[in-house]
Amino acid sequence: MILRQFGVLFSGMIPIFLIPTTTHTHYFSIFVVYHLIMSEERSLNFIEEIVEEDIASGTNSGRVLTRFPPEPNGYLHIGHAKSICLNFGLALKYGGQTNLRFDDTNPVKEDVEYVDSIKEDVKWLGFDWAEELYASDYFHQLYDFAVALIKKDLAYVDDSTAEEIAAQKGTPTEPGTPNPYRSRSVEENLQLFAEMKAGKYPDGAKVLRAKGDLASPNMHMRDPLMYRIKHAHHHRTGDQWCIYPMYDFAHGQSDAIEKITHSICTLEFVPHRELYNWFIEKLDIFPSKQYEFARLNLNYTVMSKRKLLQLVTEGHVEDWDDPRMPTISGLRRRGYTPESIREFCDRIGVAKRENMIDMGLLEFCIRENLNKTAWRRMAVLDPIKLVITNYPASQTETMFGENNPEVEGGEGGRDIPFSNELWIEREDFMEEPPKKFFRLGVGLSVRLKSAYIVTCTGFEKDANGNVTEVHCTYLPESRSGSDKSGLSVKGTIHWVSVPHAKSAEVRLYDRLFQVEDPSNEDHDFKEYLNPNSLQILPNALIENDLASAIPGKGYQFIRKGYFTLDKHSTPEKLVFNRTVTLKDGWVKK
Ligand code: ATP
Ligand code: MG
């Protein structure tokens, strides 16, 4: 009970946490406190409240049917994931179903490549749709709806140019002015519309408009366009059509055809709702209802498909699934799991007002998830050789390392070969170590993870003064698991045995943009690209066990972060992507 009260109290404060603050760590710690309290019990979001009321009042006999309606003109991004989790989540929670409907009414920008990627991404996120549908399958039905409105004298063919239509629309304070085409007879409109469909007119020559209210304070009601002429090839209907319905005339009608009960979209569609309802009422079709929520805005990235496409076509990233992209496919390739993305969507909640979510929260979710699931391995990203001078050169020993000490039983483990020559991280040795450097320097001791305590005795340099080799001795009685040395050392470092190591390329990623809001109006967003968002380490040396790393699985490279195999990795050339660092070490520049 107390927890719940706190939850309500804290949930009222969400916007404070979500607005980017200057101190990143501050935001983070508050968030953790918030989550600890909220994780006990989450209160209903406003859409769940609506659905529960509808079920209680018997609206649509308590049936819940949602839809996820992507336009196949790009790959899905993390913002879409929010919409997917919301739509599919509602249906799952209330015993309903969700349709996957491709909103493919604009032939020019759409492609089957995008359709396939969208299906793959929704499935990967863990959701099953009831039906796979296409707005283009309704083109005949939509045409008939338009004819029905013409017959009711609620639609007319307009020969005006786009500029003329804009000029006649008025302003929010002045009503629009009717043009002569508005008073065309029903017969003339029917004939002209049929001719538009038959291909008699070139692009832009005519449009079909609804006869709304030219004095409406809602500009969307001032004779909105329903159809335009576009002699373009469609990825599904081919050259069958040369007129295409506008979003406003396709979306609500598609919802009604499918008998969608709750049509959930983002806030920019609030002013469209009146028109959505108007078409449904005038056509007397299934009364789907539109509800709007705040879209996901994430800092340090862009989410408009137009901008993402630009990054791809101009070569700023490798492809749509570049691990720096906020796309589902990019996040997957980077090593994000479906669970972590669903968890993120759950934590950000469903708001009615625009807000900005910190990228740190997404990283927090994957870090938490991988901490529980990733197998621990050792990899040296920037190697330097450590020679153990009192360990027999001919000897090899096998150490044991648990796969995951966070889980009871450790999820098994693997053998780690040990020898007198090891690779260690260059940064774990210092010629002149400062106080409190708990790693290697002459005279200092550390524990080699899962092996022995060693003490540094010296080092070698090349002609340029670079350290080439570090020397140490080991304590035979200090072996991990049976340590009888009685010594305790402050530092533990990771290592890889030189004769057993495999080499790999390791890719480290930073944020794609240098500023929180690259989409601000003043600049071209590409000016804010982070030139250091990708760092390639070509000479990493990794545990031999990682040669059989499982694609899609997360591995914790001890002390270095969470990694996963890249899709271009081959047995001959292993490539790993860093998913996320172990700690939130990101500092605002
Ligand atoms: P973009 O502006 O990036 O092209 P869009 O809204 O045009 O995106 P659609 O394919 O039409 O992309 O989106 C499918 C569904 O996903 C819509 O219901 C849309 O409201 C929702 N959606 C898109 N972006 C976000 C976002 N950032 N947060 C939440 N939902 C989103
Ligand atoms: Mg859209």
Side-chain angles (χ1 to χ4, degrees), residues 220-270:
H220 292 274
M221 296 306 293
R222 297 189 184 179
D223 291 15
L225 302 199
M226 292 166 59
Y227 270 90
R228 67 211 143 139
I229 302 173
K230 220 171 220 179
H231 291 267
H233 189 83
H234 186 278
H235 73 110
R236 282 174 65 86
T237 57
D239 298 317
Q240 200 184 343
W241 293 87
C242 64
I243 55 170
Y244 290 94
M246 304 298 292
Y247 171 88
D248 283 314
F249 192 64
H251 203 91
Q253 284 47 258
S254 303
D255 286 343
I257 292 167
E258 294 171 22
K259 297 195 165 57
I260 299 297
T261 56
H262 300 82
S263 175
I264 299 158
C265 61
T266 42
L267 286 178
E268 41 322 345
F269 291 99
V270 168

Side-chain angles (χ1 to χ4, degrees), residues 68-71 77 79-80 82-83 264-266 293 295-296 303-305:
F68 173 62
E71 182 179 354
H77 53 62
H80 294 117
K82 177 172 178 177
S83 173
I264 299 158
C265 61
T266 42
F293 71 102
R295 65 171 42 237
L296 167 64
M303 273 193 277
S304 124
K305 280 185 272 190

